[in-house]
Amino acid sequence: MRPYFEKMPAFGKELKENRLARTRDSRAKLEEVEAGIAAARKAREQVGLPADAINKRGSLTVWQRLEALVDPGSWHPLHSLYNPEDNEEGTTNVVDGLAKIAGRWAVVIGFDNKVLAGAWIAGQSENILRVTNLARRLRVPLVWLVNCSGVKLPDQEKFYADRRGGGTPFYRHAELNQEGVPILAGIYGTNPAGGGYQAISPTILLAHKDANLAVGGAGIVSGMSPRGGFDVAGLEELIAKTRDIKERPPGRVETHFGETGFLSRVYDDEKGVLEGIKEYMRAIPAYDPAFFRVAAPAEPRLPASDLYHLLPFNQKEGYVFDDLLARLVDGSEHMEFRPGYGPEIYTGLVKVDGMLLGAIGNRQGLLPKGYPEYADYPGIGGKLYRQGLIKMNEFVTQCGRDRLPVIWFQDTTGIDVGDIAEKAELLGLGQSLIYSIQQTEVPMMLVVLRKGSAAAHYVMGGPTANRHNVFTLGTAATEIYVMHGETAAVATYSRRAIKEKDSARPLEPIAEKMNEMAKKYFDTSRPAYCARYGFVDEIVELKALRGYLKAFAGAAYQNPASICPRHQMLLPRLIRG
């Protein structure tokens, strides 16, 4: 199959000086949003105790542990602004991302020991579920840096119970183990109760000499016999018990290494634990990337800096999706699938770091005359029509057949509507695409370039594709909502406006409410909002997008559940004809 893949057709036009000059203002606005996201991410890293205070106690911070653990340049953070319950701490108290350890990809997560000694807080279990799902979909190891003091007791009702509460990750750990996805834990500090289960539920347990893991910590053990209230005599007794247990807390290393044998290894130095994780990572089954490379890795022929001039900050301005994609893939080369059919959608094969991927994206602007063929109105890019939906169904199905991971790029206003669109079967074709995605069993990722709206956000590999969507990225231009705010205001208030008009009442109050609603839609769809509430897993700078694509490709091909030999692939042959 070398003739198919080594040299694929080039695509993407070079930008001319007049285009660069004309889009400088748009670039400045994109970079301004990126700078704001970067500042928020940096502020998140600074919450809690200063690093110096943690270091004086003889411990490293989670950030210092990550720096010593992951391969330089391989850290791709996720959920860095995620805080769906608006915690006063400004965090879910875990840090996670995709990174290489000892040359192999892993999903890495750690408790932030600068904040409440790594306690459980609201929203954390949801964050952890996203991370465990990520490891499961990619079939790469999950690496835990455990340093969890247990529950933030005053807020326990916000995260302890319920179907997706604090204990749910322990079931997910069991699922990963049963599916052959290993979990490596480096254990630090005091880990009672929930922290104890965070430490015991992984596959391999490596601990620092001063760590402990226990069903209950000193405070819990001291108060296990409630007496209906408190008095001074009772407090004196409590103080004595607590001091005694604090000196020799349950679950010490000597217990779980020397007696139970739960701990595989114990290290005198904090960094020794990290070196132990690296050693175990080297022992985990993983294909050499050369096994799946269809060609030598190559940088795009066209520069990434052009992305700031290709993706307009103005949502109403069009652009050429193919030119944008050409700045992200190896050699700026591709093999387009059915280029003359469903012109609102791009589908094709591309290479990222020498590995073959399927790519799907919305095209923008006016579509060819006479399209869509079932209607008497012109087609507009960003919207989905009959042919585009059929083409995506076909392409996704063939990617599943050929075991090719898929990258989706969204900039969509939704699916065509109206009685004509219903007769053209668009409702059924949208659900057919969901069915096609669900049967592929290949990992997928999504980049919301600008708009993610209406049902198109779901059907185009959205985060709701829970068994397939590995992660969703946004950009400085991302906005996600069920429909544009003004459209929503019309849908909500149009009938009421008619009633007010027929009753001879003033329309100004209705107009004011409609403007308020449109403003709310705008405010709750900004990039930072999308990241905070989990609409996307990370807002990524345009110049960093290719790095995430390479991480996705590398992780997806590291230990796949199934393989299609490249000489038995059908998609390249369908494309060539």
Side-chain angles (χ1 to χ4, degrees):
M1 299 291 282
R2 283 192 300 275
Y4 284 88
F5 303 133
E6 279 191 342
K7 183 62 180 175
M8 297 161 72
F11 74 134
K13 296 180 180 178
E14 293 186 7
L15 295 186
K16 296 181 179 179
E17 284 299 323
N18 62 345
R19 174 63 184 264
L20 294 172
R22 181 168 57 83
T23 55
R24 283 197 183 102
D25 181 60
S26 178
R27 174 172 188 154
K29 290 177 179 177
L30 289 169
E31 291 179 328
E32 182 182 0
V33 175
E34 289 184 348
I37 295 292
R41 189 180 292 121
K42 189 66 176 177
R44 158 66 186 90
E45 293 179 16
Q46 302 302 319
V47 300
L49 295 174
D52 288 348
I54 300 294
N55 296 159
K56 286 177 182 177
R57 297 175 179 177
S59 299
L60 299 173
T61 69
V62 67
W63 303 100
Q64 292 167 333
R65 291 168 183 164
L66 285 169
E67 184 178 7
L69 176 64
V70 305
D71 295 357
S74 72
W75 177 246
H76 292 80
L78 295 167
H79 313 115
S80 57
L81 300 184
Y82 187 54
N83 184 21
E85 299 298 325
D86 296 321
N87 294 326
E88 61 183 357
E89 296 84 3
T91 171
T92 60
N93 220 14
V94 286
V95 181
D96 65 270
L98 193 60
K100 278 186 177 180
I101 299 173
R104 296 181 177 183
W105 288 104
V107 178
V108 188
I109 181 169
F111 289 95
D112 190 348
N113 54 329
K114 297 194 291 92
V115 181
L116 302 172
W120 285 12
I121 60 177
Q124 185 183 107
S125 59
E126 285 288 341
N127 195 335
I128 296 173
L129 288 178
R130 289 170 181 248
V131 171
T132 51
N133 284 341
L134 176 57
R136 184 181 186 185
R137 292 172 193 133
L138 289 173
R139 288 180 52 81
V140 299
L142 174 61
V143 174
W144 260 109
L145 300 179
V146 180
N147 195 157
C148 178
S149 60
V151 173
K152 182 184 178 184
L153 294 172
D155 293 343
Q156 63 85 27
E157 77 283 356
K158 296 179 181 179
F159 52 82
Y160 166 69
D162 206 357
R163 284 184 173 270
R164 298 171 69 89
T168 313
F170 310 143
Y171 281 88
R172 289 297 177 87
H173 287 171
E175 288 178 17
L176 291 179
N177 281 317
Q178 290 161 10
E179 294 181 13
V181 178
I183 310 164
L184 308 181
I187 305 167
Y188 300 93
T190 300
N191 302 278
Y197 284 96
Q198 294 286 357
I200 198 66
S201 54
T203 317
I204 299 292
L205 314 182
L206 311 176
H208 181 251
K209 65 180 178 62
D210 295 331
N212 65 32
L213 52 152
V215 175
I220 297 174
V221 173
S222 302
M224 285 299 286
S225 301
R227 299 177 181 178
F230 300 97
D231 55 29
V232 173
L235 286 177
E236 292 286 358
E237 183 180 348
L238 174 63
I239 290 168
K241 286 184 178 180
T242 302
R243 282 176 173 167
D244 180 58
I245 293 175
K246 193 171 183 180
E247 290 179 6
R248 290 180 56 79
R252 299 180 305 282
V253 160
E254 61 195 74
T255 298
H256 288 314
F257 184 68
E259 296 186 36
T260 66
F262 294 162
L263 300 174
S264 297
R265 296 183 187 175
V266 175
Y267 299 85
D268 291 337
D269 181 73
E270 280 220 2
K271 290 188 177 180
V273 179
L274 306 176
E275 292 302 316
I277 291 174
K278 294 177 186 179
E279 186 176 343
Y280 272 94
M281 281 293 296
R282 295 186 191 101
I284 287 171
Y287 288 90
D288 187 292
F291 192 93
F292 288 107
R293 281 187 172 132
V294 298
E299 288 300 307
R301 175 176 49 86
L302 301 165
S305 59
D306 286 353
L307 294 170
Y308 292 91
H309 299 276
L310 286 167
L311 185 68
F313 188 78
N314 181 353
Q315 296 281 345
K316 295 181 180 180
E317 187 176 339
Y319 60 94
V320 179
F321 171 76
D322 302 46
D323 286 343
L324 188 150
L325 182 62
R327 270 76 179 174
L328 296 172
V329 300
D330 288 15
S332 301
E333 298 173 357
H334 73 149
M335 295 176 67
E336 186 175 358
F337 175 76
R338 301 196 74 179
Y341 189 79
E344 78 273 24
I345 289 293
Y346 170 90
T347 52
L349 298 179
V350 298
K351 295 172 292 186
V352 173
D353 203 27
M355 299 176 189
L356 200 62
L357 301 172
I360 304 172
N362 298 102
R363 285 184 167 130
Q364 306 299 315
L366 288 175
L367 300 175
K369 188 176 180 180
Y371 187 82
E373 76 288 354
Y374 58 79
D376 58 1
Y377 46 78
I380 301 173
K383 189 174 285 189
L384 303 182
Y385 302 95
R386 180 182 173 86
Q387 287 186 17
L389 286 165
I390 291 174
K391 180 164 74 169
M392 285 190 286
N393 269 281
E394 293 176 334
F395 185 72
V396 164
T397 299
Q398 293 299 336
C399 284
R401 188 262 177 211
D402 287 357
R403 318 316 295 155
L404 297 176
V406 178
I407 302 177
W408 298 80
F409 296 88
Q410 278 191 19
D411 188 353
T412 177
T413 55
I415 301 175
D416 193 19
V417 297
D419 194 49
I420 294 175
E422 296 301 332
K423 292 177 181 178
E425 305 181 315
L426 268 62
L427 182 64
L429 287 169
Q431 180 59 34
S432 296
L433 180 53
I434 290 173
Y435 187 94
S436 295
I437 291 170
Q438 193 68 12
Q439 60 82 40
T440 61
E441 295 300 325
V442 296
M444 303 181 181
M445 66 168 281
L446 167 65
V447 181
V448 182
L449 291 169
R450 292 199 303 187
K451 294 177 292 296
S453 56
H457 179 54
Y458 301 154
V459 306
M460 291 188 68
T464 41
N466 276 296
R467 288 179 58 191
H468 298 84
N469 177 288
V470 172
F471 51 73
T472 296
L473 304 179
T475 74
T478 293
E479 53 183 42
I480 298 175
Y481 37 47
V482 67
M483 62 184 72
H484 191 277
E486 291 183 17
T487 307
V490 169
T492 303
Y493 287 101
S494 57
R495 291 184 180 180
R496 184 171 172 183
I498 292 172
K499 290 181 180 179
E500 296 299 289
K501 176 70 174 178
D502 292 346
S503 300
R505 288 192 285 265
L507 296 178
E508 286 80 5
I510 300 296
E512 184 177 344
K513 289 183 179 296
M514 293 174 75
N515 286 325
E516 288 175 359
M517 186 172 190
K519 176 67 164 52
K520 180 185 177 185
Y521 266 59
F522 179 85
D523 292 341
T524 56
S525 64
R526 297 306 88 205
Y529 189 97
C530 291
R532 180 168 186 166
Y533 292 100
F535 304 167
V536 299
D537 295 297
E538 192 73 8
I539 297 294
V540 176
E541 295 179 356
L542 290 175
K543 60 179 177 287
L545 261 181
R546 177 169 160 84
Y548 277 84
L549 268 58
K550 290 172 68 175
F552 168 74
Y557 276 111
Q558 180 167 288
N559 186 31
S562 60
I563 299 169
C564 177
R566 68 188 67 172
H567 59 281
Q568 295 170 22
M569 289 181 178
L570 192 57
L571 245 179
R573 293 174 168 117
L574 290 174
I575 291 172
R576 184 171 286 190

